[in-house]
Amino acid sequence: MEMEMLLIHLIASAGATIIVTGSTLFEPFRKLFLLSSEQRENSISEGSEKGTTKENITLFFKELFHCPLCLGFWMGAVMYFILGNTVSSFADIGILFGHACASSIVSILAYMKLK
């Protein structure tokens, strides 16, 4: 039963990650995290200019919602809790981290296969 739940967890996490990072359905959502000037965005990303707090947060979420590896990790962490698991000991933190990493790996592999 535990292995079946892990498989469902990985498939659901990877599926949700692929939908958010690559589908046209979420394209308007991903565009919310673009700065008004691509040149300014590049300057901040390269470190030649210091962005405002709002710009830095926007760029963080832009990277998160465009990267299947990054979003896959966080999707795996969220799915861990959605499946009814809790963190009540140090060992549970390790299991949570393992689930998130596994979700990230499956997400990037699925994304590479689809692209």
Side-chain angles (χ1 to χ4, degrees):
M1 183 68 173
E2 183 67 30
M3 189 58 85
E4 291 170 348
M5 289 304 291
L6 178 61
L7 187 59
I8 290 170
H9 160 82
L10 292 175
I11 292 170
S13 296
T17 298
I18 298 303
I19 290 169
V20 173
T21 60
S23 74
T24 56
L25 178 67
F26 276 86
E27 192 170 343
F29 175 75
R30 289 190 306 270
K31 286 183 178 179
L32 292 173
F33 300 104
L34 298 175
L35 297 183
S36 58
S37 166
E38 188 175 334
Q39 182 180 6
R40 174 98 172 123
E41 190 174 304
N42 291 336
S43 297
I44 294 169
S45 296
E46 294 169 357
S48 59
E49 290 186 37
K50 183 176 167 124
T52 64
T53 302
K54 183 180 178 182
E55 288 173 328
N56 290 329
I57 291 169
T58 300
L59 290 176
F60 169 80
F61 282 107
K62 176 192 175 205
E63 182 68 25
L64 179 67
F65 292 120
H66 282 84
C67 174
L69 191 65
C70 305
L71 187 62
F73 179 87
W74 292 108
M75 191 66 72
V78 168
M79 288 294 292
Y80 178 82
F81 292 109
I82 288 174
L83 292 174
N85 298 310
T86 59
V87 176
S88 58
S89 69
F90 192 70
D92 291 339
I93 294 172
I95 294 168
L96 167 63
F97 184 72
H99 276 254
C101 289
S103 173
S104 182
I105 291 168
V106 171
S107 295
I108 195 67
L109 291 174
Y111 185 82
M112 289 173 19
K113 183 69 174 170
L114 292 173
K115 292 292 174 178

